[in-house]
């Protein structure tokens, strides 16, 4: 079930204070998630969440998570800049590489970040760009299908990430020769997985491989990084991940492989942490009846791309009509010249009138962050509902001037289009 913790009055107050569309995030819910995760793994002496910055790259959010004891997982130069600006450094930063430009390794090294290598060829790059540190992490790709029981949960064999096991054996020995003393092991094998058995199954693979690789290479296993992928209930009938059960499942796997302890655990959750605490707040601005009934919103896929890109379900409710019967069937659309710009297709909803406040749920991860400027559409604002109930603008909406800023155009040349 999606998150209904905010009343319609809250959305109405926010929409009275800020022009729609905007993403609204709930600070109390965010802190609750961070605390629940830390509690679920409190059995582990050295546990830390490294929030995947790409899910919600806003400094206000990162600073809250920092207060809750989280680090950050970055995968680009500008994400590292956000981390630096928010005061993250050293052990609180994970830099997860894939086809990165070499200078990003230099920057991550200057920050003292843990470097998570994606490929055996990265070892030479790291040696020249920042140097091989005492502790280095490698990303493992076990290949084939990733199964829990008989259910296929992911296809690592088709994924671009990670070292093969043989490459880990060879690569870790090389890292040792270049001065490394300890290593971490990371893998991301399934996305948006709400099965409580996902992390425990992944943990078992990583714990076993880490233990064996330590024995084979003589490097000490410092940590296991379980990465992201824990899912959220986007659908009304979907079950919520039970994070306490997840932590307990990982504990059992841990004790079976590391009875003496001594290995730290890290996670890099993005979606689970912020997905359900964000909502895209929009107004219905257009109604059209042809072969179908359409409701047009003042937002579009540029504000939330997941439905258009993945056919993803995002729950929608209409403010003030929660108790109304869902006796209409609509395609809920944006304003892009692109027929996939639909937030919902053939969705049963209450009757929507022009001016209704329409709330799209679970926009808090991979929502605003995936925004783009197709059709010259501008990215929206982000608003934080603080713990005391007040609202704070944590990112202003883009303006036409922002859109023109990278072009060789003097805004004065299109002065009729500049709002007074
Ligand atoms: C995207 C990503 C994450 C976060 O994934 P979620 O599905 O949002 O939990 C974590 N680690 C890495 C390396 C990623 O690329």
């Amino acid at each position: 079930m999606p998150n209904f913790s905010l009343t319609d009055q809250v959305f109405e107050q926010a929409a009275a204070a800020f022009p729609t569309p905007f993403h609204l995030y709930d600070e109390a819910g965010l802190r609750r998630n961070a605390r629940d995760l830390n509690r679920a793994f409190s059995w582990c002496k050295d546990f830390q969440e490294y929030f995947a910055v790409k899910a919600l790259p806003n400094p206000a959010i990162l600073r809250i998570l920092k207060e809750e004891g989280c680090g950050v997982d970055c995968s680009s130069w500008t994400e590292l800049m956000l981390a630096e600006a928010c005061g993250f450094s050293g052990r609180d930063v994970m830099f997860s590489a894939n086809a990165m430009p070499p200078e990003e390794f230099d920057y991550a090294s200057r920050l003292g970040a843990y470097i998570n290598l994606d490929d055996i060829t990265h070892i030479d790059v790291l040696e020249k760009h920042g140097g091989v540190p005492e502790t280095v992490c490698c990303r493992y790709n076990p290949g084939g299908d990733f199964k829990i029981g008989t259910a296929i949960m992911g296809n690592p064999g088709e994924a671009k990430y990670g070292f093969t096991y043989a490459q880990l054996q060879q690569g870790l020995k090389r890292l040792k020769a270049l001065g490394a003393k300890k290593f971490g092991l990371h893998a991301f094998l399934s996305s948006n997985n709400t099965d409580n058995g996902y992390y425990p199954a992944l943990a078992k693979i990583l714990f076993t491989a880490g233990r064996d690789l330590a024995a084979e290479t003589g490097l000490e296993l410092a940590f296991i990084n379980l990465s992201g992928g824990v899912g959220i209930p986007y659908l009304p009938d979907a079950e919520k991940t039970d994070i306490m059960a997840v932590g307990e499942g990982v504990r059992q796997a841990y004790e079976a492989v590391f009875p003496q302890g001594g290995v730290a655990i890290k996670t890099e959750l993005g979606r689970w942490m912020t997905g359900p605490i964000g909502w895209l707040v929009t107004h219905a601005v257009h109604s059209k009846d042809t072969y179908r009934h359409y409701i047009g919103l003042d937002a579009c896929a540029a504000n939330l791309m997941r439905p258009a890109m993945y056919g993803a379900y995002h729950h929608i409710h209409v403010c003030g009509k929660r108790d109304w019967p869902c006796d209409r069937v609509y395609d809920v659309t944006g304003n892009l010249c692109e027929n996939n710009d639909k937030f919902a297709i053939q969705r049963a909803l209450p009757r929507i009138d022009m001016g209704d406040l329409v709330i799209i749920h679970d926009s808090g991860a991979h929502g605003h962050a995936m925004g783009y400027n197709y059709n010259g559409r501008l990215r929206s604002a982000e608003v934080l509902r603080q713990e005391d109930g007040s609202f704070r603008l944590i990112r202003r909406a883009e303006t036409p001037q922002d859109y023109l800023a990278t072009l060789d155009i003097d805004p004065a040349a299109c002065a009729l289009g500049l709002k007074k």
Side-chain angles (χ1 to χ4, degrees):
M1 185 71 181
N3 181 358
F4 274 96
S5 62
L6 299 188
T7 62
D8 283 350
Q9 203 190 358
V10 170
F11 294 114
E12 282 155 11
Q13 284 166 351
F18 302 95
T20 57
F22 57 86
H23 291 265
L24 180 68
Y25 307 125
D26 180 36
E27 176 177 359
L30 177 62
R31 289 188 187 275
R32 208 177 304 126
N33 285 351
R35 288 172 196 176
D36 285 351
L37 179 67
N38 283 326
R39 194 171 319 117
F41 283 89
S42 58
W43 55 266
C44 180
K45 278 203 197 72
D46 193 356
F47 167 79
Q48 195 176 7
E49 152 75 357
Y50 291 69
F51 175 65
V53 171
K54 72 167 191 252
L56 182 38
N58 189 300
I61 300 295
L62 302 183
R63 288 194 184 104
I64 291 168
L65 289 172
K66 188 165 192 285
E67 285 175 13
E68 297 297 338
C70 300
V72 279
D73 172 46
C74 302
S75 291
S76 69
W77 186 277
T78 44
E79 286 182 359
L80 287 169
M81 289 178 78
L82 285 182
E84 183 183 354
C86 294
F88 292 96
S89 66
R91 290 179 52 105
D92 291 335
V93 183
M94 187 74 64
F95 179 68
S96 288
N98 64 92
M100 306 311 191
E103 60 270 21
E104 296 190 356
F105 290 91
D106 286 305
Y107 185 11
S109 299
R110 285 201 293 278
L111 273 174
Y114 284 120
I115 313 266
N116 182 17
L117 301 178
D118 180 63
D119 182 38
I120 194 158
T121 64
H122 280 154
I123 297 171
D124 288 332
V125 177
L126 182 61
E127 197 202 351
K128 293 191 191 75
H129 293 271
V132 172
E134 187 181 271
T135 306
V136 61
C137 187
C138 292
R139 189 162 179 165
Y140 177 32
N141 184 330
D145 289 330
F146 171 64
K147 291 184 188 153
I148 301 180
T150 54
I152 295 179
M153 296 285 185
N155 310 95
E158 294 170 14
K160 66 172 180 168
Y161 307 107
F163 294 57
T164 66
Y165 194 85
Q167 288 174 333
L168 285 174
Q169 290 171 307
Q170 196 191 332
L172 288 170
K173 282 181 193 147
R174 175 114 214 286
L175 285 164
K176 190 181 175 194
L178 293 171
K181 301 215 161 23
K182 305 178 196 176
F183 73 106
L185 198 62
H186 166 284
F188 189 149
L189 302 185
S190 180
S191 192
N192 189 31
N193 197 322
T194 51
D195 189 320
N196 294 337
Y198 166 54
Y199 252 13
L202 170 69
K204 192 174 167 200
I205 293 171
L206 283 173
F207 293 161
T208 315
R211 178 198 61 195
D212 295 350
L213 286 164
E216 290 167 26
T217 62
L219 284 173
E220 183 188 328
L221 178 62
F223 63 83
I224 293 295
N225 183 342
L226 297 174
S227 184
V230 174
I232 59 170
Y234 286 102
L235 285 150
D237 58 355
E239 295 247 0
K240 207 174 159 198
T241 307
D242 178 350
I243 205 70
M244 291 308 290
V246 170
E248 173 58 20
V250 174
R251 185 184 71 78
Q252 286 172 17
Y254 186 95
E255 289 182 353
V257 184
F258 306 121
Q260 271 88 304
V263 177
I265 293 184
K266 303 182 185 303
T267 56
E268 299 171 342
L269 295 176
R271 189 188 316 274
W272 185 86
M273 198 64 112
T274 58
I277 59 96
W279 296 262
L280 178 58
V281 181
T282 75
H283 277 109
V285 294
H286 186 69
S287 163
K288 166 169 179 162
D289 299 311
T290 52
Y291 307 103
R292 290 182 178 183
H293 300 296
Y294 294 96
I295 294 294
L297 303 180
D298 56 4
C300 66
N303 306 114
L304 177 67
M305 190 202 242
R306 298 188 69 261
M309 188 174 182
Y310 310 118
Y313 181 97
H314 277 260
H315 198 66
I316 292 177
H317 91 267
V318 185
C319 273
K321 300 184 176 175
R322 290 193 193 194
D323 303 331
W324 287 33
C326 292
D327 55 2
R328 308 295 159 105
V329 175
Y330 295 118
D331 279 15
V332 181
T333 78
N335 42 30
L336 294 184
C337 302
E338 168 74 87
N339 196 43
N340 70 357
D341 182 21
K342 295 182 177 180
F343 292 109
I345 296 173
Q346 297 295 282
R347 181 83 55 89
L349 286 163
R351 190 192 77 222
I352 296 178
D353 298 296
M354 293 307 88
D356 277 355
L357 204 52
V358 176
I359 309 300
I360 305 179
H361 287 243
D362 297 310
S363 78
H366 314 295
H368 187 285
M370 290 175 89
Y372 56 108
N373 282 128
Y374 194 48
N375 256 177
R377 290 293 163 200
L378 304 176
R379 276 176 283 245
S380 80
E382 297 181 292
V383 176
L384 182 69
R385 180 177 190 260
Q386 303 182 109
E387 281 187 296
D388 64 2
S390 63
F391 300 112
R392 178 156 71 96
L393 186 67
I394 59 172
R395 184 196 296 266
R396 68 163 172 82
E398 285 179 347
T399 64
Q401 283 89 335
D402 294 321
Y403 181 78
L404 298 177
T406 54
L407 300 171
D408 187 15
I409 285 188
D410 177 359
C414 36
L416 293 177
L418 295 179
K419 283 183 198 148
K420 286 263 155 51

mmCIF file of all heavy atoms in Angstrom, residues 52 54-55 73 75 96 116 139 161 186 188 190-192 227-230 268-272 365-366, ligand 1:
data_model
loop_
_atom_site.group_PDB
_atom_site.id
_atom_site.type_symbol
_atom_site.label_atom_id
_atom_site.label_comp_id
_atom_site.label_asym_id
_atom_site.label_seq_id
_atom_site.Cartn_x
_atom_site.Cartn_y
_atom_site.Cartn_z
ATOM 1 N N ALA A 52 21.986 6.348 -1.589
ATOM 2 C CA ALA A 52 22.311 6.485 -3.015
ATOM 3 C C ALA A 52 21.847 7.864 -3.491
ATOM 4 O O ALA A 52 20.657 8.090 -3.723
ATOM 5 C CB ALA A 52 21.631 5.379 -3.817
ATOM 6 N N LYS A 54 21.850 9.456 -6.141
ATOM 7 C CA LYS A 54 21.122 9.629 -7.408
ATOM 8 C C LYS A 54 19.605 9.553 -7.221
ATOM 9 O O LYS A 54 18.863 10.086 -8.029
ATOM 10 C CB LYS A 54 21.578 8.593 -8.438
ATOM 11 C CG LYS A 54 21.112 7.169 -8.155
ATOM 12 C CD LYS A 54 21.342 6.276 -9.391
ATOM 13 C CE LYS A 54 20.645 4.948 -9.214
ATOM 14 N NZ LYS A 54 21.560 3.824 -8.974
ATOM 15 N N ALA A 55 19.142 8.915 -6.152
ATOM 16 C CA ALA A 55 17.705 8.764 -5.939
ATOM 17 C C ALA A 55 17.036 10.097 -5.602
ATOM 18 O O ALA A 55 15.915 10.357 -6.035
ATOM 19 C CB ALA A 55 17.427 7.753 -4.829
ATOM 20 N N ASP A 73 26.367 7.428 -1.164
ATOM 21 C CA ASP A 73 26.924 6.671 -2.283
ATOM 22 C C ASP A 73 26.825 7.552 -3.523
ATOM 23 O O ASP A 73 25.728 7.967 -3.901
ATOM 24 C CB ASP A 73 26.116 5.378 -2.485
ATOM 25 C CG ASP A 73 26.525 4.650 -3.754
ATOM 26 O OD1 ASP A 73 27.740 4.514 -3.988
ATOM 27 O OD2 ASP A 73 25.632 4.216 -4.507
ATOM 28 N N SER A 75 28.119 8.463 -7.650
ATOM 29 C CA SER A 75 28.597 7.838 -8.883
ATOM 30 C C SER A 75 28.920 8.844 -9.977
ATOM 31 O O SER A 75 28.929 8.489 -11.156
ATOM 32 C CB SER A 75 27.551 6.848 -9.418
ATOM 33 O OG SER A 75 27.454 5.736 -8.552
ATOM 34 N N SER A 96 30.908 4.632 -6.228
ATOM 35 C CA SER A 96 30.652 3.421 -7.009
ATOM 36 C C SER A 96 30.895 3.715 -8.475
ATOM 37 O O SER A 96 30.145 4.462 -9.103
ATOM 38 C CB SER A 96 29.208 2.959 -6.807
ATOM 39 O OG SER A 96 29.073 2.423 -5.505
ATOM 40 N N ASN A 116 34.705 1.985 -4.957
ATOM 41 C CA ASN A 116 34.102 0.699 -5.294
ATOM 42 C C ASN A 116 34.352 0.454 -6.785
ATOM 43 O O ASN A 116 33.676 1.034 -7.634
ATOM 44 C CB ASN A 116 32.602 0.767 -4.967
ATOM 45 C CG ASN A 116 31.889 -0.541 -5.225
ATOM 46 O OD1 ASN A 116 32.513 -1.589 -5.353
ATOM 47 N ND2 ASN A 116 30.571 -0.468 -5.308
ATOM 48 N N ARG A 139 33.207 -4.660 -6.972
ATOM 49 C CA ARG A 139 31.825 -5.025 -7.263
ATOM 50 C C ARG A 139 31.803 -6.396 -7.930
ATOM 51 O O ARG A 139 32.503 -6.618 -8.914
ATOM 52 C CB ARG A 139 31.262 -3.954 -8.199
ATOM 53 C CG ARG A 139 29.813 -4.052 -8.422
ATOM 54 C CD ARG A 139 29.295 -2.724 -8.972
ATOM 55 N NE ARG A 139 27.888 -2.847 -9.207
ATOM 56 C CZ ARG A 139 27.056 -1.825 -9.402
ATOM 57 N NH1 ARG A 139 27.528 -0.605 -9.393
ATOM 58 N NH2 ARG A 139 25.792 -2.023 -9.610
ATOM 59 N N TYR A 161 27.502 -4.446 -14.830
ATOM 60 C CA TYR A 161 28.302 -4.153 -13.639
ATOM 61 C C TYR A 161 29.152 -5.322 -13.151
ATOM 62 O O TYR A 161 28.762 -6.480 -13.257
ATOM 63 C CB TYR A 161 27.377 -3.746 -12.484
ATOM 64 C CG TYR A 161 26.429 -2.644 -12.836
ATOM 65 C CD1 TYR A 161 25.087 -2.903 -13.028
ATOM 66 C CD2 TYR A 161 26.906 -1.347 -13.009
ATOM 67 C CE1 TYR A 161 24.213 -1.878 -13.369
ATOM 68 C CE2 TYR A 161 26.032 -0.325 -13.351
ATOM 69 C CZ TYR A 161 24.698 -0.590 -13.527
ATOM 70 O OH TYR A 161 23.824 0.416 -13.862
ATOM 71 N N HIS A 186 30.892 -5.852 -2.974
ATOM 72 C CA HIS A 186 29.605 -5.205 -3.256
ATOM 73 C C HIS A 186 28.912 -5.952 -4.389
ATOM 74 O O HIS A 186 29.573 -6.487 -5.282
ATOM 75 C CB HIS A 186 29.912 -3.758 -3.665
ATOM 76 C CG HIS A 186 28.791 -2.984 -4.305
ATOM 77 N ND1 HIS A 186 28.392 -3.165 -5.606
ATOM 78 C CD2 HIS A 186 28.016 -1.981 -3.823
ATOM 79 C CE1 HIS A 186 27.411 -2.319 -5.891
ATOM 80 N NE2 HIS A 186 27.168 -1.592 -4.833
ATOM 81 N N PHE A 188 24.865 -5.669 -6.648
ATOM 82 C CA PHE A 188 23.495 -5.170 -6.790
ATOM 83 C C PHE A 188 22.828 -6.109 -7.791
ATOM 84 O O PHE A 188 23.106 -6.057 -8.969
ATOM 85 C CB PHE A 188 23.550 -3.733 -7.325
ATOM 86 C CG PHE A 188 22.230 -2.992 -7.321
ATOM 87 C CD1 PHE A 188 22.216 -1.618 -7.141
ATOM 88 C CD2 PHE A 188 21.025 -3.640 -7.480
ATOM 89 C CE1 PHE A 188 21.025 -0.900 -7.133
ATOM 90 C CE2 PHE A 188 19.830 -2.938 -7.469
ATOM 91 C CZ PHE A 188 19.835 -1.563 -7.303
ATOM 92 N N SER A 190 19.285 -7.125 -7.879
ATOM 93 C CA SER A 190 17.850 -7.049 -8.141
ATOM 94 C C SER A 190 17.381 -5.653 -7.761
ATOM 95 O O SER A 190 17.874 -5.071 -6.801
ATOM 96 C CB SER A 190 17.125 -8.110 -7.302
ATOM 97 O OG SER A 190 15.737 -8.066 -7.533
ATOM 98 N N SER A 191 16.413 -5.119 -8.505
ATOM 99 C CA SER A 191 15.961 -3.750 -8.270
ATOM 100 C C SER A 191 14.507 -3.735 -7.804
ATOM 101 O O SER A 191 13.704 -4.552 -8.250
ATOM 102 C CB SER A 191 16.103 -2.962 -9.571
ATOM 103 O OG SER A 191 15.943 -1.600 -9.309
ATOM 104 N N ASN A 192 14.179 -2.802 -6.922
ATOM 105 C CA ASN A 192 12.821 -2.661 -6.387
ATOM 106 C C ASN A 192 12.254 -4.009 -5.941
ATOM 107 O O ASN A 192 11.158 -4.401 -6.325
ATOM 108 C CB ASN A 192 11.885 -2.003 -7.410
ATOM 109 C CG ASN A 192 10.543 -1.653 -6.799
ATOM 110 O OD1 ASN A 192 10.461 -1.343 -5.608
ATOM 111 N ND2 ASN A 192 9.487 -1.726 -7.586
ATOM 112 N N SER A 227 24.491 -2.872 -1.107
ATOM 113 C CA SER A 227 24.016 -2.007 -2.185
ATOM 114 C C SER A 227 22.543 -1.626 -2.010
ATOM 115 O O SER A 227 22.024 -1.618 -0.888
ATOM 116 C CB SER A 227 24.259 -2.722 -3.515
ATOM 117 O OG SER A 227 23.898 -1.885 -4.580
ATOM 118 N N GLY A 228 21.879 -1.317 -3.129
ATOM 119 C CA GLY A 228 20.474 -0.886 -3.067
ATOM 120 C C GLY A 228 19.547 -2.007 -3.488
ATOM 121 O O GLY A 228 19.884 -3.184 -3.411
ATOM 122 N N GLY A 229 18.361 -1.638 -3.941
ATOM 123 C CA GLY A 229 17.461 -2.622 -4.537
ATOM 124 C C GLY A 229 16.289 -3.042 -3.675
ATOM 125 O O GLY A 229 15.371 -3.687 -4.181
ATOM 126 N N VAL A 230 16.307 -2.696 -2.376
ATOM 127 C CA VAL A 230 15.138 -3.061 -1.552
ATOM 128 C C VAL A 230 13.952 -2.202 -2.006
ATOM 129 O O VAL A 230 14.073 -0.987 -2.165
ATOM 130 C CB VAL A 230 15.436 -2.858 -0.051
ATOM 131 C CG1 VAL A 230 14.177 -3.090 0.783
ATOM 132 C CG2 VAL A 230 16.553 -3.791 0.384
ATOM 133 N N GLU A 268 23.294 0.673 0.528
ATOM 134 C CA GLU A 268 23.206 1.886 -0.303
ATOM 135 C C GLU A 268 21.773 2.035 -0.792
ATOM 136 O O GLU A 268 21.514 2.094 -1.990
ATOM 137 C CB GLU A 268 24.103 1.761 -1.543
ATOM 138 C CG GLU A 268 25.558 1.584 -1.257
ATOM 139 C CD GLU A 268 26.371 1.255 -2.508
ATOM 140 O OE1 GLU A 268 25.788 0.842 -3.527
ATOM 141 O OE2 GLU A 268 27.592 1.409 -2.455
ATOM 142 N N LEU A 269 20.848 2.065 0.151
ATOM 143 C CA LEU A 269 19.449 2.135 -0.268
ATOM 144 C C LEU A 269 19.112 3.534 -0.774
ATOM 145 O O LEU A 269 19.517 4.530 -0.187
ATOM 146 C CB LEU A 269 18.540 1.748 0.901
ATOM 147 C CG LEU A 269 18.723 0.292 1.327
ATOM 148 C CD1 LEU A 269 17.875 -0.019 2.536
ATOM 149 C CD2 LEU A 269 18.381 -0.649 0.177
ATOM 150 N N GLY A 270 18.401 3.582 -1.851
ATOM 151 C CA GLY A 270 17.889 4.835 -2.378
ATOM 152 C C GLY A 270 16.373 4.811 -2.299
ATOM 153 O O GLY A 270 15.746 5.471 -1.475
ATOM 154 N N ARG A 271 15.773 3.973 -3.132
ATOM 155 C CA ARG A 271 14.318 3.901 -3.256
ATOM 156 C C ARG A 271 13.617 3.642 -1.924
ATOM 157 O O ARG A 271 12.652 4.302 -1.570
ATOM 158 C CB ARG A 271 13.966 2.775 -4.231
ATOM 159 C CG ARG A 271 12.506 2.706 -4.624
ATOM 160 C CD ARG A 271 12.216 1.460 -5.434
ATOM 161 N NE ARG A 271 13.210 1.202 -6.451
ATOM 162 C CZ ARG A 271 13.189 1.719 -7.675
ATOM 163 N NH1 ARG A 271 12.205 2.496 -8.046
ATOM 164 N NH2 ARG A 271 14.154 1.452 -8.536
ATOM 165 N N TRP A 272 14.138 2.657 -1.163
ATOM 166 C CA TRP A 272 13.465 2.309 0.089
ATOM 167 C C TRP A 272 13.463 3.501 1.051
ATOM 168 O O TRP A 272 12.504 3.734 1.785
ATOM 169 C CB TRP A 272 14.146 1.098 0.749
ATOM 170 C CG TRP A 272 13.408 0.649 1.970
ATOM 171 C CD1 TRP A 272 12.356 -0.212 2.032
ATOM 172 C CD2 TRP A 272 13.633 1.093 3.321
ATOM 173 N NE1 TRP A 272 11.904 -0.328 3.330
ATOM 174 C CE2 TRP A 272 12.679 0.451 4.132
ATOM 175 C CE3 TRP A 272 14.548 1.974 3.912
ATOM 176 C CZ2 TRP A 272 12.616 0.662 5.513
ATOM 177 C CZ3 TRP A 272 14.485 2.188 5.284
ATOM 178 C CH2 TRP A 272 13.534 1.537 6.071
ATOM 179 N N ALA A 365 11.969 8.944 -4.832
ATOM 180 C CA ALA A 365 13.242 8.377 -5.293
ATOM 181 C C ALA A 365 13.173 8.205 -6.801
ATOM 182 O O ALA A 365 12.162 7.726 -7.324
ATOM 183 C CB ALA A 365 13.510 7.026 -4.630
ATOM 184 N N HIS A 366 14.237 8.589 -7.478
ATOM 185 C CA HIS A 366 14.298 8.479 -8.937
ATOM 186 C C HIS A 366 13.112 9.218 -9.563
ATOM 187 O O HIS A 366 12.550 8.784 -10.568
ATOM 188 C CB HIS A 366 14.338 6.997 -9.374
ATOM 189 C CG HIS A 366 15.310 6.174 -8.573
ATOM 190 N ND1 HIS A 366 16.672 6.386 -8.605
ATOM 191 C CD2 HIS A 366 15.119 5.159 -7.681
ATOM 192 C CE1 HIS A 366 17.271 5.533 -7.788
ATOM 193 N NE2 HIS A 366 16.354 4.786 -7.206
HETATM 194 C C1 LIG B 1 21.041 2.974 -8.022
HETATM 195 C C2 LIG B 1 22.011 2.439 -7.051
HETATM 196 C C3 LIG B 1 21.657 2.265 -5.711
HETATM 197 C C4 LIG B 1 20.275 2.555 -5.175
HETATM 198 O O1 LIG B 1 19.324 1.746 -5.736
HETATM 199 P P1 LIG B 1 17.821 1.735 -5.160
HETATM 200 O O2 LIG B 1 17.121 0.819 -6.102
HETATM 201 O O3 LIG B 1 17.337 3.141 -5.246
HETATM 202 O O4 LIG B 1 17.890 1.231 -3.772
HETATM 203 C C5 LIG B 1 22.625 1.812 -4.842
HETATM 204 N N1 LIG B 1 23.881 1.525 -5.257
HETATM 205 C C6 LIG B 1 24.262 1.709 -6.534
HETATM 206 C C7 LIG B 1 25.662 1.404 -6.917
HETATM 207 C C8 LIG B 1 23.342 2.150 -7.479
HETATM 208 O O5 LIG B 1 23.722 2.290 -8.747
#
